[in-house]
């Protein structure tokens, strides 16, 4: 593992990039800290929040309740690790509202992803430089600056997914029982919390494993080498088993509710994975090459400029790294196609590969031609600021869904805690039930 000594000769702009990214990211949390979570995809944020609320109120923590479609109230989707952490944090910090607790925990999970990212980049000869530039670009990315301060589990899934990759590299470099346990546990948690996030990192793990197999090919017949790759396969198998077990368990709970049967894994198969026609559609291409890059970097032009600079300046091995990251960005779109078409926030799972790819180009250029690197970084950050203002900033400063909040306040004031209300025209959104602190149908 390579490390760089911090000294007076350290490339100071790296720290400026990192600290600017951290300041920007935290500023978005502070600005919206006390806002209701009635912003983009508020139905999804309040769905997570209402489950956490009823945990705190004494509901089950495994067969957790999402009381919006009638009794029985359990309607579990993802494994509730994030909800558990928020519930405990909210109890330890009673001066925070549940909305605030959820935002803080989500932001902490996101910032914690910098640790496994550092572990990964530290294997590079100039790992500290690579880490500071890449993490600074990541923290300024509009999609990460915005959604990391929401009431959602995406950042928790992202943390354990990146952690798995770091643990995998450490294990393949120096196998140990503790290393295997870390690799297996992070794989299981990442997959169970949100498989749509983990899938891209499982592909990353596959590419890394293939690299190590190629590197160790001369010693591949040695028993220790074979055992090492068997352990990697076992960790992935355990993650698949964890997902299967959780889906089986949660589907059984959903099936107890007549409406809940519409939301089992089998019932939602097409909704989750999409169709072959969608995979070949212009709509998907628009998401991949226009919408998602715009929300991650401000514009597809940033990616185009970075790619042009990569082709002109990078060596073959560096290009392999760059296009591997681009491939990892692309792959999840063709697995959970419909989810990526319908929901913008699902790109939180894989846009990190696109952002890191562009950051990697800036890093390589900083070692070769700082003027070009500065120009690219200026383009990246100006694009990101533009993208944030275009796609997300108004949700932080403008009132959202005030009518739902007024209805919820009226219900909370005129009903008892144990009452159940029937709502019309709400679909199965948790917005009103959550802020009313009531169960609903």
């Amino acid at each position: 593992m390579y490390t760089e000594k911090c000294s007076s000769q350290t490339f100071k702009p790296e720290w400026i990039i990192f600290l600017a990214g951290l300041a920007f990211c935290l500023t978005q949390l502070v600005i919206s800290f006390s806002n209701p979570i009635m912003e983009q995809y508020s139905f999804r944020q309040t769905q997570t929040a209402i489950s956490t609320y009823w945990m705190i109120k004494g509901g089950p923590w495994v067969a957790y309740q999402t009381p919006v479609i009638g009794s029985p109230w359990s309607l579990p989707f993802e494994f509730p690790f994030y909800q558990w952490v928020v519930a405990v944090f909210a109890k330890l910090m009673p001066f925070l509202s549940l909305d605030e607790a959820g935002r803080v925990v989500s932001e902490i999970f996101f910032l914690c992803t910098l640790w496994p990212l550092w572990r990964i980049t530290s294997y590079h000869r100039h790992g500290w430089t690579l880490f500071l530039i890449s993490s600074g670009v990541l923290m300024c990315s509009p999609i990460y600056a915005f959604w990391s301060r929401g009431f959602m589990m995406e950042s928790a899934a992202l943390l354990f997914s990146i952690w798995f990759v770091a643990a995998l590299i450490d294990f393949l470099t120096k196998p140990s029982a503790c290393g295997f346990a870390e690799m297996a546990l992070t794989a299981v948690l990442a997959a169970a919390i949100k498989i749509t996030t983990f899938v891209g990192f499982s592909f990353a793990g596959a590419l890394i494993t293939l690299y190590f197999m190629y590197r160790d090919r001369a010693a591949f017949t040695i028993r220790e080498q074979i055992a090492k790759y068997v352990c990697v396969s076992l960790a992935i198998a355990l993650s698949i088993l964890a997902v299967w077990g959780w889906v089986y368990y949660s589907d059984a709970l959903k099936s107890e509710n007549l409406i809940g049967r519409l939301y089992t894994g089998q019932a939602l198969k097409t909704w989750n994975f999409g169709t072959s026609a969608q995979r070949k559609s212009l709509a998907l291409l628009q998401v991949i090459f226009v919408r998602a890059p715009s929300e991650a970097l401000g514009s597809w032009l940033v990616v185009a400029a970075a790619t042009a600079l990569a082709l002109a300046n990078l060596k073959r091995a560096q290009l392999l790294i760059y296009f591997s990251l681009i491939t990892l960005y692309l792959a999840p779109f063709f697995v959970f196609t419909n989810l990526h078409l319908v929901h913008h926030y699902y790109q939180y799972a894989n846009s990190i590969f696109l952002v890191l790819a562009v950051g990697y180009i800036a890093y390589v250029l900083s070692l070769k031609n700082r003027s070009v690197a500065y120009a690219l970084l200026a383009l990246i950050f100006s694009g990101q600021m533009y993208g944030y203002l275009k796609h997300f900033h108004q949700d932080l400063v403008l009132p959202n869904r005030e009518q739902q909040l007024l209805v919820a306040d009226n219900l909370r004031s005129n009903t008892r805690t144990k009452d159940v209300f029937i709502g019309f025209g709400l679909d199965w959104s948790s917005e009103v039930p959550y802020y009313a602190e009531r169960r609903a149908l």
Side-chain angles (χ1 to χ4, degrees):
M1 180 183 295
Y2 294 105
T3 56
E4 293 176 283
K5 294 181 180 180
C6 295
S7 69
S8 59
Q9 295 179 342
T10 299
F11 180 40
K12 293 181 180 179
E14 302 161 2
W15 280 104
I16 295 174
I17 293 167
F18 176 82
L19 294 175
L22 181 62
F24 177 75
C25 191
L26 292 176
T27 298
Q28 309 319 306
L29 172 65
V30 172
I31 291 173
S32 59
F33 185 64
S34 298
N35 289 1
I37 51 175
M38 300 290 274
E39 49 202 26
Q40 289 189 30
Y41 294 97
S42 57
F43 76 91
R44 189 63 178 89
Q45 295 199 61
T46 54
Q47 179 184 324
T48 306
I50 198 172
S51 298
T52 309
Y53 173 81
W54 288 104
M55 285 181 186
I56 295 172
K57 291 299 180 179
W61 282 47
V62 179
Y64 62 93
Q65 298 179 356
T66 310
V68 295
I69 58 171
S71 180
W73 304 109
S74 292
L75 189 69
F77 284 90
E78 297 86 0
F79 185 73
F81 182 85
Y82 169 76
Q83 291 92 319
W84 292 348
V85 176
V86 175
V88 171
F89 186 76
K91 287 187 175 183
L92 294 175
M93 302 289 179
F95 53 88
L96 296 179
S97 70
L98 184 55
D99 286 359
E100 293 168 344
R103 290 189 187 280
V104 170
V105 170
S106 180
E107 191 73 48
I108 290 173
F109 273 126
F110 173 65
L111 293 178
C112 283
T113 62
L114 300 182
W115 171 62
L117 182 60
W118 173 81
R119 287 173 58 180
I120 295 168
T121 58
S122 66
Y123 280 93
H124 197 279
R125 185 176 297 275
H126 300 283
W128 193 242
T129 302
L130 176 58
F131 168 73
L132 291 174
I133 293 176
S134 298
S135 58
V137 172
L138 178 63
M139 288 186 287
C140 280
S141 173
I143 192 171
Y144 292 99
F146 181 79
W147 286 114
S148 296
R149 24 82 44 217
F151 203 127
M152 299 177 75
M153 65 195 70
E154 317 311 295
S155 58
L158 187 68
L159 166 61
F160 287 108
S161 295
I162 300 179
W163 192 347
F164 159 73
V165 174
L168 171 67
I169 296 173
D170 286 351
F171 178 79
L172 290 174
T173 303
K174 189 176 181 180
S176 68
C178 289
F180 169 73
E182 180 189 18
M183 176 177 60
L185 181 60
T186 51
V188 166
L189 279 172
I193 293 172
K194 195 130 192 173
I195 185 60
T196 53
T197 298
F198 181 63
V199 66
F201 294 89
S202 68
F203 294 151
L207 290 178
I208 291 167
T209 303
L210 288 173
Y211 164 76
F212 273 87
M213 291 178 71
Y214 177 78
R215 191 196 69 174
D216 300 337
R217 63 191 182 281
F220 194 72
T221 57
I222 298 176
R223 180 180 300 176
E224 290 79 5
Q225 293 293 334
I226 296 175
K228 182 168 66 175
Y229 297 109
V230 169
C231 287
V232 172
S233 301
L234 179 58
I236 294 298
L238 289 172
S239 70
I240 295 172
L241 182 62
V243 173
W244 178 85
W246 176 254
V247 171
Y248 181 85
Y249 172 73
S250 61
D251 279 358
L253 291 172
K254 293 172 189 173
S255 297
E256 294 176 4
N257 185 299
L258 185 62
I259 302 176
R261 295 172 189 172
L262 301 174
Y263 300 103
T264 62
Q266 185 61 38
L268 294 175
K269 185 176 180 180
T270 301
W271 173 259
N272 291 332
F273 295 102
T275 64
S276 59
Q278 286 178 314
R279 291 181 178 88
K280 296 178 287 186
S281 67
L282 291 176
L284 182 61
L285 292 177
Q286 192 275 337
V287 171
I288 292 173
F289 294 108
V290 180
R291 192 186 82 189
S294 179
E295 294 188 354
L297 293 162
S299 171
W300 63 270
L301 292 172
V302 176
V303 183
T307 302
L309 288 170
L311 293 172
N313 294 278
L314 269 60
K315 298 177 181 178
R316 182 179 299 177
Q318 294 168 333
L319 282 172
L320 182 61
I321 293 173
Y322 176 72
F323 284 109
S324 293
L325 289 169
I326 296 297
T327 301
L328 292 171
Y329 160 73
L330 294 171
F333 288 110
F334 296 93
V335 180
F336 297 101
T337 305
N338 187 65
L339 292 176
H340 280 282
L341 280 169
V342 175
H343 299 308
H344 293 217
Y345 68 87
Y346 266 90
Q347 284 85 73
Y348 189 97
N350 59 317
S351 286
I352 187 171
F353 296 113
L354 183 64
V355 174
L356 293 180
V358 172
Y360 178 72
I361 300 302
Y363 152 74
V364 174
L365 291 175
S366 74
L367 302 177
K368 294 185 174 184
N369 188 327
R370 291 187 179 182
S371 296
V372 177
Y374 292 159
L376 177 58
L377 286 168
L379 175 64
I380 292 170
F381 289 126
S382 59
Q384 289 178 325
M385 296 305 103
Y386 167 75
Y388 195 84
L389 290 171
K390 178 180 179 181
H391 297 291
F392 300 111
H393 181 66
Q394 64 179 0
D395 283 276
L396 275 65
V397 297
L398 297 178
N400 287 291
R401 296 172 176 82
E402 292 181 303
Q403 183 178 3
Q404 288 92 326
L405 291 172
L406 288 172
V407 171
D409 183 65
N410 186 270
L411 282 167
R412 188 173 59 253
S413 300
N414 294 283
T415 59
R416 297 169 298 177
T417 303
K418 294 184 178 180
D419 286 345
V420 177
F421 74 89
I422 299 177
F424 296 92
L426 301 177
D427 199 0
W428 64 294
S429 172
S430 302
E431 294 169 337
V432 173
Y434 169 61
Y435 280 105
E437 300 175 358
R438 300 293 184 266
R439 294 181 175 90
L441 172 60

